[in-house]
Amino acid sequence: MLEEIRDEGAATGERYVLNMGPQHPSMHGVLRLRLELIGEEIQEAEAVIGYAHRAHEKMAENRTWPMFLPNTSRVDYLSGMIYNLAYCQAVEKMLEIEVPERAEYIRIIAGELNRISSHLLWLGTYVMDIGGLTPFLYAWDDREQVLNILERITGSRLTYSYGRFGGLTMDVDDVFIKQTQVFLERMKGRLVEYDKLVRQNVIFIKRSEGVGIIDAETCRRYGVTGPNLRAAGVAYDVRKDEPYGIYDRFDFEVPTLTTADSLARYDIRIREIEESLKIVGQALRDLPEGPIMPDKPKKKFKPAAGETYFAVEAARGHFGMYLVSDGSETPFKIKLRTPSFSNLAAMPEVLRKTMVADIIAIVGSIDIVLPEIDR
Amino acid sequence: MSGTAPGLDGLLLTSAAEDHGKSGFHHRHTCAPESLLAIARAFDAAGYFLEMMTAEDRRADLDKMRLVYTWNRFGPVDRHLLQCDLEVGASAPSVVAATAAADWMEREVYDMYGVTFDGHPDLKRILLPDDSDFHALLKDFGRMEDAEGASGNGHGEDA
Amino acid sequence: MPETVTQMVDSPALAILIGIAGVMGALTFNALFLVWLERKASAWIQRRMGPTEVGPFGVLQTIADMLKLLSKQLITPKHIDKPLYHIAPVLVFVPVVAATSLFPFDEHIALSNLDIGLVLVFAFGGLGIVGIFMAGWGSNNKYALLGAMRSVAQNISYEIPLILSALSVVLMVNTMGGPETNGMNLAQVAQMQHDKGYWFVLVQPVAALIYFIAALAETNRAPFDIPEAESELIAGFHTEYSGMRFALFFFAEYANMFIVAMVATVLFFGGWSGPVLPGPAWFFIKTYGIVFAMMWIRWTFPRLRFDQLMSFCWMILIPLSILNLLVTAFIARAV
Amino acid sequence: MAGPSGPTIALDDLRIAERGNGSLTTAGVGPSLVKEGADADEIPLELQPYVRFGLLEDLLNKARANSLWPLTFGLACCAIEMMAAGAARYDLDRFGAGVFRPSARQADVMIFAGTISKKMAPVVKQLWDQMPSPKWAIAMGGCTIDGGPFKYPNQYAIVEGADKIVPVDVYIPGCPPRPEALIAGILKLGDKIKAGRRFKG
């Protein structure tokens, strides 16, 4: 019976256009979804982006190499540390600058802490998108702990410019190490609480299970990476497949599931928080002594002409930088391959034939950040 | 040709293996614009995904607009860089038929560089306001030197 | 039976005035208190402070909100359906005020002692739905329209288990009380629970549970707050209302919660009967206990999707409430 | 309220009307925006006060200052700090400002949390017009003061400062400003409202 009504609606063409506009409580910034609906079911979804376009790439061509550093953590401000350190590592690769051991370990610690804080924010906003208002506050409570720790060494809560070509700006003291160890212990208990409050809540399961299936083939066709891809069964993680920095010295698994729905994406991110906790624990355990900047850091940065590509595993997926240098002090071109751009590109196909309430759940579950998409 | 790469025989102009440690690529190819779609289909058949696509404004030195594609696969990393030089003002064939990821990427290249892609289902601006009349990343646009009364260096204060 | 106000005061006009003044005063105070309670309860659950700056413990916060809403500009969008748009808040607010006067606060004094008290309460509840739909339809906004459609479907379908569960209590009261008692009369229901010495929730646990769930859905709260789902439909049916009109919807929602809790107190928790404290004190303690439970649920559960909500009602709640009614009928006959 | 992007309104043809001068019926401190060249009689009647109730206005201004309902309007990085201010540790709700209203009709203050790109400018203007007065605007973060880190000569992407579109009441510097700074900004706005009558605008 239901099928006929649905098709009949399409036949008589009572489609109407609903604008989930740039200003919407759960569009994670300024995404605009132009939906064609019959009743509450989506026939056609078109994502209109560009409302947060801040011209990072044009600025890159007007600045010298080190002047682009502050921009990097404002591209994706939720994993700002990872982006910032990625840019440093990319230029170090071009200029073959050696980084001291201690700096490499601190980079791993700061990057993984940043990933944990990004996943915690996603946990809060995702559950708030499907209606649960309280877990948001608990997740933010934990995130504030991470921000305290990172603020101690970088001075800022969100937009860090902590890396330099060749090392870091500030060293780490034992108070930082103490705070991080306390946080690691506390976080294990908190994850059990989230499991009880959110994961075993029957309404949460009904709202997430089987919603927004993005299978491996769709991921490959659109270039979807990160937790969304690992939820579809593909174990692609840049830290494992293309190790950068000293990630190959740490043992951690890459969690994968096969159901590829919002629930799988939730589970993947929770297990990734556990993996990151393990990595930070190992890095803290064998943090060596020593300098954090090379003794005579270079002042002038003139990389040889040519193209370089450097990729890292950001919280949202494969973040790649295509750096083109023409031998002068300013980059000829920097292309930022941001994961959410491709993750969102798959949405118009995934959202077809879903309900209005599901759009919010699906768009929330793939964890996008608009200024990272619009660059 | 290039190791485990998909069957690209005959479609490329030049092809060379690269040291991944140095430049981040495993293979570097160049090709003519006509064979872009065939190459994209070959990569797609071999299970690769279109990792990144952009363009470079090479009008100053080569008098060409260079399209840059990188393909990669989800297993052990095998990154192919493909550069394709276009005549200034010419339009390139769209590879959306082979990989759906190219849809938005080509729209962005059109938006930022003005390169048109024939065969693209819905080629319109993606980032800039719909009624803007410029292409942002072209080298001769929005340079700091020709701002009114601005001094040349990075952070020139307004006069 | 309780002596009604009209009997105590000789001239009926004065009685009506007292009734209106009493109900309006009680409701205004109740709305202000409930808004403050909701913000403080949610703050307590979410481990934060809630309003503390305005007056001691933020008590004057809701008064500040009310005054601010009073002095806001009333925007009337251009392309709206004028009559519907203006009547909607009134139609949502007035039934709520009318329904409050039907409840027996105490053994001796009650505002009104009607034999069809329970029926009137549900009738006024139904009127509110029309108001919500007019608001959504009249404000010429797609989000409001979606919210209105959802709220009509939800309220109508949850009205059935609500009434069926109340019916099982009425049926029990009629059979146990002999020919002259009338289960519809709320005062008699409360009186019987006082005489029998036990609350009906012990006898009718399933009906109480169904009633509570359906009541949550009826007042668009907690897991069932689909009509004004903040994260989906901006502000649901009252998207286009500003200033005092929006305050009327806000006011009506909390008063509705209060009424639904009062009905539950009378039907299941023995109305004003209680050991030490005077009648009305017990009545309000129980009512505000239920209201707090409703708030507690709101801040812990995510929101149901629309089709899940409907299937939950039609597949589970209604069959269960019919079954409960049958079981009550058999037991009542046997006893 | 959803705002389609529509044609880009040229920004320079919008004149900021004189601020509401705090009379009972008018917009309190909140200014209203009129098109360029709007002559006297086009300015809505309510903006011309006839009778002023001093004490009542003070009471209303105190009520307005203590229940500023912000509009959920996160644009970029500052939105995260605005959410942090609303969360448990900094808790905006202590000052009555914790009720984030998604619909512009029910909001009092528009907090610009992030960069305003040129594509977003008409949407911002439309949202500001949809808000009932008295309404106020807080410019949070460097981008809304004068373009912040994304401002350089001859840049094409962002509106350099929120005051080019909307009359701003309180500026909060920082990139992003800490949640305490946002709370200080809201309290500063509250003081400004309470001092309603002396602010001739």
Side-chain angles (χ1 to χ4, degrees), chain C residues 151-189:
Chain C
S151 80
V152 167
Q154 170 184 323
N155 283 350
I156 287 175
S157 55
Y158 273 90
E159 194 93 3
I160 301 167
L162 193 77
I163 291 172
L164 285 176
S165 56
L167 208 60
S168 53
V169 171
V170 167
L171 187 138
M172 199 172 64
V173 166
N174 278 353
T175 48
M176 277 198 289
E180 85 293 339
T181 57
N182 165 3
M184 296 286 184
N185 188 327
L186 295 170
Q188 286 179 15
V189 173

mmCIF file of all heavy atoms in Angstrom, chain C residues 151-189:
data_model
loop_
_atom_site.group_PDB
_atom_site.id
_atom_site.type_symbol
_atom_site.label_atom_id
_atom_site.label_comp_id
_atom_site.label_asym_id
_atom_site.label_seq_id
_atom_site.Cartn_x
_atom_site.Cartn_y
_atom_site.Cartn_z
ATOM 1 N N SER C 151 2.469 17.852 14.349
ATOM 2 C CA SER C 151 1.844 17.946 15.684
ATOM 3 C C SER C 151 0.416 17.449 15.606
ATOM 4 O O SER C 151 -0.052 16.758 16.518
ATOM 5 C CB SER C 151 1.877 19.395 16.162
ATOM 6 O OG SER C 151 0.829 20.113 15.567
ATOM 7 N N VAL C 152 -0.285 17.721 14.495
ATOM 8 C CA VAL C 152 -1.677 17.234 14.402
ATOM 9 C C VAL C 152 -1.684 15.711 14.398
ATOM 10 O O VAL C 152 -2.370 15.073 15.205
ATOM 11 C CB VAL C 152 -2.341 17.788 13.114
ATOM 12 C CG1 VAL C 152 -3.634 17.050 12.861
ATOM 13 C CG2 VAL C 152 -2.572 19.263 13.260
ATOM 14 N N ALA C 153 -0.827 15.122 13.556
ATOM 15 C CA ALA C 153 -0.816 13.650 13.477
ATOM 16 C C ALA C 153 -0.468 13.060 14.836
ATOM 17 O O ALA C 153 -1.118 12.140 15.330
ATOM 18 C CB ALA C 153 0.215 13.220 12.433
ATOM 19 N N GLN C 154 0.529 13.653 15.472
ATOM 20 C CA GLN C 154 0.990 13.076 16.748
ATOM 21 C C GLN C 154 -0.088 13.214 17.814
ATOM 22 O O GLN C 154 -0.440 12.238 18.486
ATOM 23 C CB GLN C 154 2.263 13.802 17.184
ATOM 24 C CG GLN C 154 2.705 13.472 18.588
ATOM 25 C CD GLN C 154 3.900 14.282 19.003
ATOM 26 O OE1 GLN C 154 4.777 14.540 18.191
ATOM 27 N NE2 GLN C 154 3.923 14.713 20.240
ATOM 28 N N ASN C 155 -0.666 14.401 17.948
ATOM 29 C CA ASN C 155 -1.602 14.607 19.064
ATOM 30 C C ASN C 155 -2.851 13.763 18.886
ATOM 31 O O ASN C 155 -3.349 13.164 19.839
ATOM 32 C CB ASN C 155 -1.971 16.096 19.157
ATOM 33 C CG ASN C 155 -0.830 16.866 19.800
ATOM 34 O OD1 ASN C 155 0.102 16.255 20.318
ATOM 35 N ND2 ASN C 155 -0.880 18.172 19.736
ATOM 36 N N ILE C 156 -3.340 13.697 17.647
ATOM 37 C CA ILE C 156 -4.577 12.922 17.443
ATOM 38 C C ILE C 156 -4.312 11.456 17.746
ATOM 39 O O ILE C 156 -5.059 10.806 18.490
ATOM 40 C CB ILE C 156 -5.081 13.130 16.001
ATOM 41 C CG1 ILE C 156 -5.662 14.542 15.875
ATOM 42 C CG2 ILE C 156 -6.133 12.090 15.647
ATOM 43 C CD1 ILE C 156 -6.087 14.913 14.494
ATOM 44 N N SER C 157 -3.187 10.940 17.247
ATOM 45 C CA SER C 157 -3.003 9.496 17.439
ATOM 46 C C SER C 157 -2.690 9.206 18.905
ATOM 47 O O SER C 157 -3.010 8.128 19.399
ATOM 48 C CB SER C 157 -1.867 8.996 16.545
ATOM 49 O OG SER C 157 -0.713 9.738 16.813
ATOM 50 N N TYR C 158 -2.114 10.137 19.659
ATOM 51 C CA TYR C 158 -1.818 9.818 21.069
ATOM 52 C C TYR C 158 -3.003 10.146 21.971
ATOM 53 O O TYR C 158 -3.004 9.817 23.151
ATOM 54 C CB TYR C 158 -0.562 10.566 21.544
ATOM 55 C CG TYR C 158 0.689 9.793 21.228
ATOM 56 C CD1 TYR C 158 1.350 9.973 20.028
ATOM 57 C CD2 TYR C 158 1.169 8.824 22.102
ATOM 58 C CE1 TYR C 158 2.472 9.241 19.710
ATOM 59 C CE2 TYR C 158 2.286 8.077 21.796
ATOM 60 C CZ TYR C 158 2.932 8.287 20.599
ATOM 61 O OH TYR C 158 4.046 7.542 20.276
ATOM 62 N N GLU C 159 -4.005 10.785 21.411
ATOM 63 C CA GLU C 159 -5.214 11.041 22.211
ATOM 64 C C GLU C 159 -5.886 9.714 22.568
ATOM 65 O O GLU C 159 -6.423 9.559 23.672
ATOM 66 C CB GLU C 159 -6.163 11.904 21.363
ATOM 67 C CG GLU C 159 -7.284 12.535 22.130
ATOM 68 C CD GLU C 159 -6.936 13.955 22.606
ATOM 69 O OE1 GLU C 159 -5.835 14.437 22.280
ATOM 70 O OE2 GLU C 159 -7.749 14.544 23.305
ATOM 71 N N ILE C 160 -5.809 8.746 21.670
ATOM 72 C CA ILE C 160 -6.545 7.478 21.872
ATOM 73 C C ILE C 160 -6.008 6.724 23.081
ATOM 74 O O ILE C 160 -6.749 6.447 24.024
ATOM 75 C CB ILE C 160 -6.487 6.632 20.576
ATOM 76 C CG1 ILE C 160 -7.117 7.438 19.431
ATOM 77 C CG2 ILE C 160 -7.204 5.311 20.762
ATOM 78 C CD1 ILE C 160 -6.843 6.852 18.078
ATOM 79 N N PRO C 161 -4.702 6.409 23.148
ATOM 80 C CA PRO C 161 -4.257 5.684 24.359
ATOM 81 C C PRO C 161 -4.484 6.521 25.612
ATOM 82 O O PRO C 161 -4.788 5.974 26.680
ATOM 83 C CB PRO C 161 -2.775 5.436 24.105
ATOM 84 C CG PRO C 161 -2.387 6.249 22.938
ATOM 85 C CD PRO C 161 -3.616 6.597 22.196
ATOM 86 N N LEU C 162 -4.392 7.849 25.482
ATOM 87 C CA LEU C 162 -4.606 8.709 26.666
ATOM 88 C C LEU C 162 -5.999 8.463 27.235
ATOM 89 O O LEU C 162 -6.175 8.170 28.419
ATOM 90 C CB LEU C 162 -4.459 10.171 26.220
ATOM 91 C CG LEU C 162 -4.340 11.240 27.302
ATOM 92 C CD1 LEU C 162 -2.947 11.244 27.887
ATOM 93 C CD2 LEU C 162 -4.655 12.614 26.725
ATOM 94 N N ILE C 163 -6.985 8.496 26.345
ATOM 95 C CA ILE C 163 -8.375 8.367 26.822
ATOM 96 C C ILE C 163 -8.632 6.944 27.285
ATOM 97 O O ILE C 163 -9.242 6.707 28.347
ATOM 98 C CB ILE C 163 -9.344 8.790 25.696
ATOM 99 C CG1 ILE C 163 -9.208 10.302 25.474
ATOM 100 C CG2 ILE C 163 -10.773 8.405 26.023
ATOM 101 C CD1 ILE C 163 -9.947 10.806 24.277
ATOM 102 N N LEU C 164 -8.111 5.973 26.548
ATOM 103 C CA LEU C 164 -8.372 4.574 26.935
ATOM 104 C C LEU C 164 -7.804 4.283 28.318
ATOM 105 O O LEU C 164 -8.450 3.664 29.176
ATOM 106 C CB LEU C 164 -7.762 3.626 25.887
ATOM 107 C CG LEU C 164 -8.545 3.536 24.560
ATOM 108 C CD1 LEU C 164 -7.815 2.652 23.568
ATOM 109 C CD2 LEU C 164 -9.951 3.007 24.826
ATOM 110 N N SER C 165 -6.617 4.793 28.580
ATOM 111 C CA SER C 165 -6.033 4.496 29.899
ATOM 112 C C SER C 165 -6.841 5.205 30.992
ATOM 113 O O SER C 165 -7.085 4.637 32.068
ATOM 114 C CB SER C 165 -4.564 4.939 29.930
ATOM 115 O OG SER C 165 -4.490 6.301 29.598
ATOM 116 N N ALA C 166 -7.307 6.427 30.696
ATOM 117 C CA ALA C 166 -8.133 7.104 31.721
ATOM 118 C C ALA C 166 -9.455 6.348 31.885
ATOM 119 O O ALA C 166 -9.983 6.207 32.997
ATOM 120 C CB ALA C 166 -8.400 8.547 31.296
ATOM 121 N N LEU C 167 -9.933 5.828 30.762
ATOM 122 C CA LEU C 167 -11.228 5.111 30.805
ATOM 123 C C LEU C 167 -11.168 3.912 31.750
ATOM 124 O O LEU C 167 -12.116 3.640 32.509
ATOM 125 C CB LEU C 167 -11.555 4.637 29.379
ATOM 126 C CG LEU C 167 -13.053 4.487 29.059
ATOM 127 C CD1 LEU C 167 -13.753 5.811 29.239
ATOM 128 C CD2 LEU C 167 -13.221 3.964 27.643
ATOM 129 N N SER C 168 -10.019 3.233 31.752
ATOM 130 C CA SER C 168 -9.982 2.034 32.608
ATOM 131 C C SER C 168 -10.128 2.446 34.073
ATOM 132 O O SER C 168 -10.760 1.742 34.870
ATOM 133 C CB SER C 168 -8.658 1.292 32.385
ATOM 134 O OG SER C 168 -7.594 2.186 32.560
ATOM 135 N N VAL C 169 -9.609 3.609 34.445
ATOM 136 C CA VAL C 169 -9.771 4.065 35.850
ATOM 137 C C VAL C 169 -11.241 4.399 36.095
ATOM 138 O O VAL C 169 -11.844 3.973 37.098
ATOM 139 C CB VAL C 169 -8.878 5.302 36.114
ATOM 140 C CG1 VAL C 169 -9.211 5.882 37.469
ATOM 141 C CG2 VAL C 169 -7.422 4.922 36.003
ATOM 142 N N VAL C 170 -11.836 5.097 35.114
ATOM 143 C CA VAL C 170 -13.254 5.491 35.297
ATOM 144 C C VAL C 170 -14.119 4.244 35.421
ATOM 145 O O VAL C 170 -14.970 4.127 36.320
ATOM 146 C CB VAL C 170 -13.695 6.346 34.071
ATOM 147 C CG1 VAL C 170 -15.199 6.498 34.063
ATOM 148 C CG2 VAL C 170 -12.967 7.659 34.078
ATOM 149 N N LEU C 171 -13.820 3.261 34.591
ATOM 150 C CA LEU C 171 -14.612 2.014 34.630
ATOM 151 C C LEU C 171 -14.480 1.374 36.006
ATOM 152 O O LEU C 171 -15.459 0.946 36.638
ATOM 153 C CB LEU C 171 -14.073 1.080 33.544
ATOM 154 C CG LEU C 171 -14.831 -0.211 33.285
ATOM 155 C CD1 LEU C 171 -14.930 -0.461 31.797
ATOM 156 C CD2 LEU C 171 -14.134 -1.381 33.949
ATOM 157 N N MET C 172 -13.274 1.364 36.521
ATOM 158 C CA MET C 172 -13.055 0.726 37.833
ATOM 159 C C MET C 172 -13.841 1.487 38.909
ATOM 160 O O MET C 172 -14.532 0.882 39.755
ATOM 161 C CB MET C 172 -11.563 0.787 38.141
ATOM 162 C CG MET C 172 -11.104 -0.195 39.192
ATOM 163 S SD MET C 172 -9.330 -0.184 39.284
ATOM 164 C CE MET C 172 -9.069 1.489 39.847
ATOM 165 N N VAL C 173 -13.768 2.831 38.829
ATOM 166 C CA VAL C 173 -14.456 3.617 39.870
ATOM 167 C C VAL C 173 -15.948 3.353 39.818
ATOM 168 O O VAL C 173 -16.610 3.113 40.828
ATOM 169 C CB VAL C 173 -14.153 5.128 39.640
ATOM 170 C CG1 VAL C 173 -15.102 5.972 40.459
ATOM 171 C CG2 VAL C 173 -12.703 5.410 39.982
ATOM 172 N N ASN C 174 -16.501 3.292 38.574
ATOM 173 C CA ASN C 174 -17.961 3.091 38.470
ATOM 174 C C ASN C 174 -18.372 1.752 39.022
ATOM 175 O O ASN C 174 -19.330 1.662 39.811
ATOM 176 C CB ASN C 174 -18.370 3.202 36.980
ATOM 177 C CG ASN C 174 -18.501 4.673 36.620
ATOM 178 O OD1 ASN C 174 -18.411 5.527 37.508
ATOM 179 N ND2 ASN C 174 -18.658 4.943 35.354
ATOM 180 N N THR C 175 -17.635 0.717 38.663
ATOM 181 C CA THR C 175 -18.099 -0.604 39.128
ATOM 182 C C THR C 175 -17.923 -0.706 40.647
ATOM 183 O O THR C 175 -18.795 -1.175 41.354
ATOM 184 C CB THR C 175 -17.240 -1.704 38.469
ATOM 185 O OG1 THR C 175 -15.870 -1.326 38.612
ATOM 186 C CG2 THR C 175 -17.601 -1.849 37.026
ATOM 187 N N MET C 176 -16.826 -0.208 41.159
ATOM 188 C CA MET C 176 -16.609 -0.405 42.619
ATOM 189 C C MET C 176 -17.563 0.495 43.410
ATOM 190 O O MET C 176 -17.999 0.152 44.510
ATOM 191 C CB MET C 176 -15.162 -0.033 42.970
ATOM 192 C CG MET C 176 -14.190 -1.171 42.705
ATOM 193 S SD MET C 176 -12.647 -0.900 43.589
ATOM 194 C CE MET C 176 -11.980 0.463 42.633
ATOM 195 N N GLY C 177 -17.925 1.627 42.849
ATOM 196 C CA GLY C 177 -18.647 2.579 43.679
ATOM 197 C C GLY C 177 -20.143 2.378 43.723
ATOM 198 O O GLY C 177 -20.828 3.127 44.382
ATOM 199 N N GLY C 178 -20.654 1.421 42.988
ATOM 200 C CA GLY C 178 -22.110 1.239 43.060
ATOM 201 C C GLY C 178 -22.797 2.211 42.109
ATOM 202 O O GLY C 178 -22.143 2.961 41.381
ATOM 203 N N PRO C 179 -24.133 2.206 42.066
ATOM 204 C CA PRO C 179 -24.870 2.913 40.974
ATOM 205 C C PRO C 179 -24.662 4.425 40.991
ATOM 206 O O PRO C 179 -24.407 5.036 39.959
ATOM 207 C CB PRO C 179 -26.339 2.555 41.238
ATOM 208 C CG PRO C 179 -26.389 2.125 42.679
ATOM 209 C CD PRO C 179 -25.030 1.554 43.021
ATOM 210 N N GLU C 180 -24.660 5.084 42.177
ATOM 211 C CA GLU C 180 -24.774 6.556 42.079
ATOM 212 C C GLU C 180 -23.412 7.225 41.852
ATOM 213 O O GLU C 180 -23.315 8.389 41.514
ATOM 214 C CB GLU C 180 -25.417 7.110 43.356
ATOM 215 C CG GLU C 180 -24.471 7.375 44.529
ATOM 216 C CD GLU C 180 -23.901 6.064 45.051
ATOM 217 O OE1 GLU C 180 -24.517 5.004 44.798
ATOM 218 O OE2 GLU C 180 -22.817 6.082 45.639
ATOM 219 N N THR C 181 -22.301 6.466 41.974
ATOM 220 C CA THR C 181 -21.017 7.185 41.776
ATOM 221 C C THR C 181 -20.777 7.389 40.269
ATOM 222 O O THR C 181 -21.232 6.607 39.450
ATOM 223 C CB THR C 181 -19.851 6.326 42.285
ATOM 224 O OG1 THR C 181 -19.932 5.071 41.566
ATOM 225 C CG2 THR C 181 -19.946 6.087 43.760
ATOM 226 N N ASN C 182 -20.016 8.457 39.973
ATOM 227 C CA ASN C 182 -19.792 8.767 38.542
ATOM 228 C C ASN C 182 -18.293 8.940 38.355
ATOM 229 O O ASN C 182 -17.698 9.893 38.870
ATOM 230 C CB ASN C 182 -20.569 10.061 38.233
ATOM 231 C CG ASN C 182 -20.098 10.663 36.910
ATOM 232 O OD1 ASN C 182 -19.255 10.079 36.226
ATOM 233 N ND2 ASN C 182 -20.621 11.815 36.573
ATOM 234 N N GLY C 183 -17.671 7.988 37.642
ATOM 235 C CA GLY C 183 -16.221 7.984 37.490
ATOM 236 C C GLY C 183 -15.699 9.226 36.789
ATOM 237 O O GLY C 183 -14.562 9.629 36.929
ATOM 238 N N MET C 184 -16.568 9.880 36.004
ATOM 239 C CA MET C 184 -16.089 11.052 35.248
ATOM 240 C C MET C 184 -15.804 12.211 36.209
ATOM 241 O O MET C 184 -15.009 13.092 35.930
ATOM 242 C CB MET C 184 -17.181 11.502 34.252
ATOM 243 C CG MET C 184 -17.482 10.476 33.183
ATOM 244 S SD MET C 184 -16.147 10.438 31.983
ATOM 245 C CE MET C 184 -16.825 9.251 30.822
ATOM 246 N N ASN C 185 -16.491 12.201 37.312
ATOM 247 C CA ASN C 185 -16.365 13.349 38.228
ATOM 248 C C ASN C 185 -15.056 13.207 39.004
ATOM 249 O O ASN C 185 -14.904 12.321 39.833
ATOM 250 C CB ASN C 185 -17.569 13.352 39.186
ATOM 251 C CG ASN C 185 -17.554 14.630 40.010
ATOM 252 O OD1 ASN C 185 -16.480 15.132 40.330
ATOM 253 N ND2 ASN C 185 -18.715 15.121 40.321
ATOM 254 N N LEU C 186 -14.131 14.085 38.729
ATOM 255 C CA LEU C 186 -12.788 13.947 39.305
ATOM 256 C C LEU C 186 -12.840 13.987 40.824
ATOM 257 O O LEU C 186 -12.114 13.258 41.497
ATOM 258 C CB LEU C 186 -11.909 15.088 38.762
ATOM 259 C CG LEU C 186 -11.664 15.020 37.235
ATOM 260 C CD1 LEU C 186 -11.001 16.286 36.741
ATOM 261 C CD2 LEU C 186 -10.826 13.804 36.922
ATOM 262 N N ALA C 187 -13.755 14.770 41.361
ATOM 263 C CA ALA C 187 -13.788 14.870 42.834
ATOM 264 C C ALA C 187 -14.130 13.503 43.410
ATOM 265 O O ALA C 187 -13.518 13.038 44.379
ATOM 266 C CB ALA C 187 -14.828 15.911 43.240
ATOM 267 N N GLN C 188 -15.047 12.811 42.754
ATOM 268 C CA GLN C 188 -15.427 11.489 43.300
ATOM 269 C C GLN C 188 -14.271 10.513 43.170
ATOM 270 O O GLN C 188 -14.018 9.694 44.061
ATOM 271 C CB GLN C 188 -16.644 10.968 42.534
ATOM 272 C CG GLN C 188 -17.909 11.699 42.916
ATOM 273 C CD GLN C 188 -19.105 11.182 42.135
ATOM 274 O OE1 GLN C 188 -19.010 10.110 41.526
ATOM 275 N NE2 GLN C 188 -20.178 11.943 42.138
ATOM 276 N N VAL C 189 -13.504 10.606 42.106
ATOM 277 C CA VAL C 189 -12.368 9.679 41.942
ATOM 278 C C VAL C 189 -11.397 9.903 43.101
ATOM 279 O O VAL C 189 -10.958 8.958 43.772
ATOM 280 C CB VAL C 189 -11.671 9.934 40.577
ATOM 281 C CG1 VAL C 189 -10.400 9.114 40.464
ATOM 282 C CG2 VAL C 189 -12.631 9.638 39.439
#
